């Protein structure tokens, strides 16, 4: 695992946040953050914007985004997805999950805003949500997201690559 602050130059990071912070960017309701839990249905949702999956663009923002991401040479990108977790009264820790079951797939998680939310890993590592902080990790490693209690949303950009 590697944590890198100020991953993108300011102008490129601003382009990314302008895309997903725009009032015209479509966000899609996802019922169940990892799995649906009827006992926690009030806080068990988020919004997402899929940019790239199954080796094809699925968002009009793909071409603008890939111009910024590709020069960082992460590898062959297999998925790009932006997540938006609404504010909750207290920071809710979401269930453990993996992005993949194979060690070949890597994860890159970019924090798009600063808030009291974080991403936790099974080894005890806690990566705080600090704008323009990137965490690179093995996508088969269990991790969890959280909500935020001190910002209107917590936003992350999840990139999977080989």
């Amino acid at each position: 695992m590697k944590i890198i602050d100020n991953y993108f130059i300011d102008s490129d990071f601003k382009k990314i946040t302008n895309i997903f912070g725009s009032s015209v960017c479509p966000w899609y309701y996802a019922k169940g953050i990892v799995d649906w839990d009827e006992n926690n249905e009030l806080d068990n949702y988020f919004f997402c914007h899929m940019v790239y999956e199954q080796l094809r663009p699925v968002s009009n923002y793909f071409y603008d985004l890939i111009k910024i991401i590709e020069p960082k040479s992460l590898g062959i990108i297999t998925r790009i997805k932006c997540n938006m977790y609404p504010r909750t009264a207290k920071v809710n820790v979401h269930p453990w999950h993996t992005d993949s079951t194979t060690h070949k797939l890597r994860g890159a998680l970019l924090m798009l805003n600063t808030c009291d939310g974080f991403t936790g890993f099974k080894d005890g590592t806690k990566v705080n949500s600090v704008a323009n902080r990137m965490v690179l990790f093995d996508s088969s490693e269990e991790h969890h997201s959280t909500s935020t209690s001190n910002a209107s949303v917590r936003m992350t950009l999840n990139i999977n690559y080989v």
Side-chain angles (χ1 to χ4, degrees):
M1 178 184 315
K2 187 173 185 179
I3 300 168
I4 307 165
D5 285 331
N6 301 308
Y7 187 76
F8 290 102
I9 62 170
D10 289 343
S11 59
D12 283 346
F13 183 69
K14 187 173 175 82
K15 288 176 189 173
I16 295 170
T17 58
N18 283 345
I19 288 170
F20 296 110
S22 164
S23 62
V24 297
C25 179
W27 288 98
Y28 302 93
Y29 172 79
K31 183 178 179 178
I33 293 170
V34 174
D35 293 311
W36 181 245
D37 177 1
E38 291 179 11
N39 298 319
N40 185 27
E41 64 183 84
L42 290 178
D43 292 330
N44 193 10
Y45 71 96
F46 70 111
F47 296 91
C48 64
H49 183 98
M50 190 64 73
V51 177
Y52 185 78
E53 68 177 333
Q54 298 178 356
L55 302 175
R56 66 181 185 86
V58 293
S59 167
N60 291 336
Y61 299 114
F62 171 77
Y63 296 102
D64 293 329
L65 200 54
I66 201 68
K67 288 179 200 171
I68 300 165
I69 294 170
E70 234 173 19
K72 288 295 198 172
S73 299
L74 289 171
I76 299 169
I77 295 173
T78 60
R79 183 179 79 152
I80 302 171
K81 176 183 163 198
C82 195
N83 298 315
M84 179 170 49
Y85 305 101
R87 187 190 76 77
T88 52
K90 64 178 182 58
V91 174
N92 290 337
V93 175
H94 304 144
W96 294 104
H97 70 279
T98 61
D99 291 349
S100 170
T101 56
T102 173
H103 289 286
K104 293 178 183 173
L105 194 62
R106 305 286 305 155
L109 185 66
L110 179 67
M111 311 301 170
L112 295 183
N113 65 315
T114 299
C115 64
D116 60 355
F118 62 93
T119 298
F121 291 85
K122 275 284 186 169
D123 70 0
T125 302
K126 178 180 170 182
V127 182
N128 292 322
S129 285
V130 175
N132 204 9
R133 174 174 285 168
M134 178 71 87
V135 58
L136 304 172
F137 62 99
D138 180 333
S139 67
S140 68
E141 184 177 349
E142 284 191 285
H143 57 283
H144 68 77
S145 57
T146 69
S147 63
T148 179
S149 68
N150 70 351
S152 58
V153 296
R154 175 177 182 239
M155 290 186 5
T156 60
L157 185 65
N158 186 330
I159 303 166
N160 293 114
Y161 62 99
V162 181

